[in-house]
Amino acid sequence: MDQRKYNIYFHTHTISGIIVAAILYVIFFAGSFSFFKDDISAWQKGKSTVAEEINPDYNYILDSLSEKHNLLGRNFDFYLLRQGHGTYVNMSTSQDTTVSKPKPKEAGQRRGRGRGGDEDSAYFTYFFADKKTGSYADSYDMGEFLYRLHFLAQLNQVPIRIGTPFGYLLAGVVSFLFLFALITGLLLHWDKIKSNFFLFRPWSKWKTVWTDMHTVLGVIGFPFQLLFAITGVILIVNFVLISPFSKLLYKGNQEQLYEDLQYNRSMKVEYTYEPMEDSFDLNKFVEHWEEEWTDSQISRIHIRNYQDASMQITLEAKPLPKANFAGSGFVQVEVASGKLLQLKSPNTDANYIDGVKSLIYHLHFGDFGGKPLRIIFFILGLVGCVVIISGIMIWLVARDKKNIPAYKRKFNFWASNVFLSTCLAMLPVTAFTFIMLKVLPQINQSVIYSVYFYSWLVLSVYFIAWRNLPTINRQTLLLSAILCLGVPLANGILTGLWMWNTLRTGALDIFFIDALFLGIAVACAYAYIKVRQQAKPFKILKG
């Protein structure tokens, strides 16, 4: 490679990497734990979704709502949680003006499920096992928090109005810049990949140690990181990517575009003001199609004009990855006549759109290989965090030279100090929040936000004040070892769900989270001991 190309790749890789480093670390760290989102939710609630079979009772939901509302003419949407242990329920106002007057849709309203616009509508979460309901905020858990943190959804509350949620846009931009860093990094090291692939010199000078770590782990994790960069860009900024097509090919009709892409399914049913003669058993209807679509999982249920003669119901289903990698299905039925209006099997009628969407979703969420694949993805995600940190250390050590002006050296040090303090604090803060989930009497979205973000702020400021990177590293390892060990201890002491009990009863999702943090605690303790015994002195400007 000639020098000019090398310089181009080097500077592009360095600049793009430095710009997105801190945010990218948050995305990788939170995303790694998000692979176990359902296990984390089960751990927090103390109710396993794999130890016992859960039979959804949709009729009970409708009967409970009928005690407070006249359900005639209402629309219902059930968005089932991935493990089938609960559902989001959206109930609209009635189409019957003698019951309630439907409010017109506001201009510019975004697509997606509603939140209940007034007292006569409702939006809540329902769990089948204990028949408990709650608002989205009340049912919020740590699994949902980490999942949404990995695409910066919490930043959507920042009052920056640029036509799209700020957090999503920022995550998309970071993912896009990450692509530049990945590709230019590969080109930068291409000539030496074969000769230096297994080269690691831990007893050399610090710049060499960080460089070897960054290069070796970066190349090993490159396919994984490239995969997540591409799928992340598509999933986060799909609105931006497909907007030109809606204007050119659909004349601005985005609803039709989303319907053709199988994100939305319109059900326009005229209300007749004639009550339906027979009763309707939603449980029996769902069970019938579950038997019809074996190796598939119902994902959504849509009911229109409930108990009216025009009542229609649509089921949407997705095949289990082990049975069919790509596919989606739906059935639309006119309830009064039993007439089948539309039918698409999730097992046999997969189309091109199903193939593309399934490829992106399955590769990004790692849900097609069971727990072993998610564990591999989790490890590779944490490897990405190490690559990011080692890249920052390379950048810092390379610029901590006597020929560099003092003010530049101070800026470089403080930038790295803030970055490393903030990022390294995430692991002990995450473990601390898990412990608080068992200690605090009430947990909701506000509590999780307060515990996590305030403790993150306090610990980050504490680390920054040390102005000593080796000390920050040692204290992070020690705190992480103690707090990660505290996660299974808190679960056992405060709920009685000791690891041997959850393993014996088959609550493997709860057992796994305890085992995961126990493994992390052991790894951090081992690393702390080795750092104390063998780490060479690392001197660098302190400010």
Side-chain angles (χ1 to χ4, degrees):
M1 182 187 303
D2 62 72
Q3 190 63 36
R4 181 175 180 275
K5 289 183 179 179
Y6 180 88
N7 289 337
I8 292 174
Y9 297 151
F10 177 82
H11 291 296
T12 304
H13 177 74
T14 302
I15 293 172
S16 59
I18 291 296
I19 290 175
V20 304
I23 298 177
L24 194 62
Y25 184 96
V26 174
I27 291 174
F28 265 97
F29 183 90
S32 297
F33 281 92
S34 297
F35 289 120
F36 311 121
K37 177 178 182 290
D38 297 323
D39 300 313
I40 293 172
S41 299
W43 184 91
Q44 178 177 332
K45 295 179 175 66
K47 295 184 179 296
S48 173
T49 60
V50 299
E52 56 181 301
E53 184 178 356
I54 297 176
N55 297 313
D57 190 348
Y58 304 100
N59 291 338
Y60 181 84
I61 301 176
L62 295 175
D63 292 341
S64 299
L65 286 170
S66 66
E67 296 178 359
K68 297 182 179 180
H69 304 273
N70 184 346
L71 303 187
L72 179 63
R74 296 183 185 272
N75 298 334
F76 294 91
D77 299 294
F78 297 85
Y79 302 91
L80 275 67
L81 301 179
R82 188 166 54 180
Q83 290 287 357
H85 60 281
T87 180
Y88 295 113
V89 181
N90 186 26
M91 181 188 73
S92 74
T93 54
S94 177
Q95 305 299 312
D96 194 321
T97 55
T98 64
V99 177
S100 59
K101 186 175 181 180
K103 291 187 176 182
K105 184 177 180 180
E106 296 181 3
Q109 183 175 346
R110 296 177 64 234
R111 65 183 181 90
R113 54 178 179 257
R115 298 288 178 180
D118 50 53
E119 294 181 356
D120 196 38
S121 60
Y123 180 84
F124 57 91
T125 308
Y126 177 85
F127 296 99
F128 298 116
D130 51 16
K131 296 184 178 180
K132 288 185 178 180
T133 62
S135 65
Y136 175 78
D138 292 335
S139 304
Y140 199 82
D141 57 46
M142 195 63 183
E144 180 76 0
F145 173 82
L146 291 171
Y147 169 70
R148 296 184 67 80
L149 181 62
H150 104 275
F151 51 87
L152 309 181
Q154 287 83 353
L155 292 180
N156 291 340
Q157 300 179 24
V158 175
I160 298 179
R161 304 290 179 257
I162 50 179
T164 189
F166 175 71
Y168 297 161
L169 178 63
L170 182 59
V173 171
V174 169
S175 298
F176 193 73
L177 290 177
F178 182 45
L179 271 176
F180 278 91
L182 281 175
I183 296 173
T184 53
L186 183 67
L187 294 173
L188 188 64
H189 300 292
W190 183 260
D191 292 339
K192 297 182 180 179
I193 284 180
K194 184 177 180 180
S195 60
N196 292 358
F197 190 82
F198 297 103
L199 181 63
F200 186 62
R201 296 158 288 185
W203 311 117
S204 183
K205 58 183 180 180
W206 273 110
K207 183 182 178 183
T208 303
V209 173
W210 293 117
T211 302
D212 288 348
M213 184 184 299
H214 185 77
T215 304
V216 173
L217 294 180
V219 172
I220 292 175
F222 177 82
F224 171 84
Q225 295 165 10
L226 182 64
L227 166 68
F228 274 80
I230 295 174
T231 56
V233 168
I234 295 174
L235 291 173
I236 291 295
V237 296
N238 64 78
F239 175 82
V240 177
L241 295 174
I242 66 179
S243 289
F245 294 97
S246 67
K247 295 179 181 179
L248 294 175
L249 302 179
Y250 287 80
K251 298 180 180 179
N253 188 353
Q254 291 190 4
E255 292 297 325
Q256 183 61 48
L257 173 59
Y258 284 118
E259 186 170 344
D260 289 346
L261 291 176
Q262 301 176 182
Y263 287 109
N264 284 354
R265 196 169 308 284
S266 63
M267 293 178 64
K268 299 179 181 179
V269 186
E270 293 295 330
Y271 193 74
T272 64
Y273 286 90
E274 298 179 7
M276 189 171 62
E277 297 180 358
D278 299 326
S279 60
F280 175 68
D281 190 332
L282 181 55
N283 287 348
K284 186 176 180 180
F285 182 85
V286 173
E287 290 172 0
H288 167 75
W289 286 102
E290 285 179 334
E291 295 175 357
E292 188 77 18
W293 293 333
T294 57
D295 293 326
S296 295
Q297 185 177 30
I298 304 297
S299 57
R300 295 182 181 183
I301 304 172
H302 306 286
I303 300 175
R304 295 296 178 263
N305 298 348
Y306 185 70
Q307 293 179 328
D308 185 70
S310 63
M311 176 179 171
Q312 292 184 12
I313 181 171
T314 295
L315 294 186
E316 297 184 27
K318 295 179 180 179
L320 299 177
K322 64 180 182 181
N324 194 350
F325 189 79
S328 66
F330 64 89
V331 58
Q332 184 174 354
V333 176
E334 189 177 69
V335 176
S337 64
K339 181 180 179 181
L340 197 64
L341 302 178
Q342 295 186 76
L343 176 63
K344 179 177 180 291
S345 171
N347 298 319
T348 60
D349 297 336
N351 52 32
Y352 176 77
I353 294 177
D354 288 326
V356 174
K357 289 175 61 178
S358 297
L359 181 66
I360 294 171
Y361 277 89
H362 288 320
L363 290 179
H364 192 81
F365 293 107
D367 59 356
F368 59 92
K371 188 63 65 66
L373 180 65
R374 291 201 294 273
I375 292 175
I376 293 173
F377 274 22
F378 172 79
I379 295 173
L380 289 173
L382 295 186
V383 166
C385 294
V386 175
V387 171
I388 294 170
I389 289 178
S390 59
I392 292 296
M393 293 306 301
I394 293 171
W395 178 83
L396 174 61
V397 173
R399 284 156 181 77
D400 188 53
K401 298 177 180 178
K402 294 183 179 180
N403 62 331
I404 303 294
Y407 74 94
K408 288 186 178 181
R409 294 173 64 199
K410 287 184 179 180
F411 173 81
N412 294 338
F413 170 78
W414 276 103
S416 301
N417 185 37
V418 171
F419 166 84
L420 291 173
S421 299
T422 304
C423 293
L424 293 178
M426 284 195 74
L427 179 55
V429 164
T430 300
F432 173 75
T433 306
F434 270 79
I435 295 173
M436 289 298 102
L437 295 178
K438 298 299 181 180
V439 173
L440 297 177
Q442 183 179 4
I443 301 296
N444 53 36
Q445 185 178 19
S446 177
V447 171
I448 293 177
Y449 274 31
S450 297
V451 171
Y452 196 94
F453 289 125
Y454 281 126
S455 60
W456 193 6
L457 175 63
V458 170
L459 189 57
S460 297
V461 172
Y462 169 77
F463 283 159
I464 291 171
W466 269 96
R467 298 185 299 168
N468 189 309
L469 303 185
T471 300
I472 293 172
N473 181 45
R474 289 194 298 270
Q475 293 193 7
T476 297
L477 291 173
L478 182 60
L479 273 176
S480 297
I482 296 173
L483 292 173
C484 287
L485 179 61
V487 172
L489 290 178
N491 193 29
I493 294 172
L494 298 174
T495 67
L497 294 174
W498 294 101
M499 293 178 64
W500 51 86
N501 291 332
T502 54
L503 183 61
R504 176 176 51 82
T505 58
L508 298 181
D509 42 5
I510 299 176
F511 169 82
F512 177 78
I513 295 302
D514 285 335
L516 176 66
F517 276 95
L518 180 60
I520 296 175
V522 171
C524 290
Y526 178 79
Y528 174 75
I529 293 172
K530 288 298 183 181
V531 166
R532 293 277 298 184
Q533 292 178 348
Q534 301 178 10
K536 299 186 304 177
F538 176 41
K539 296 181 180 180
I540 199 164
L541 181 69
K542 293 186 178 181

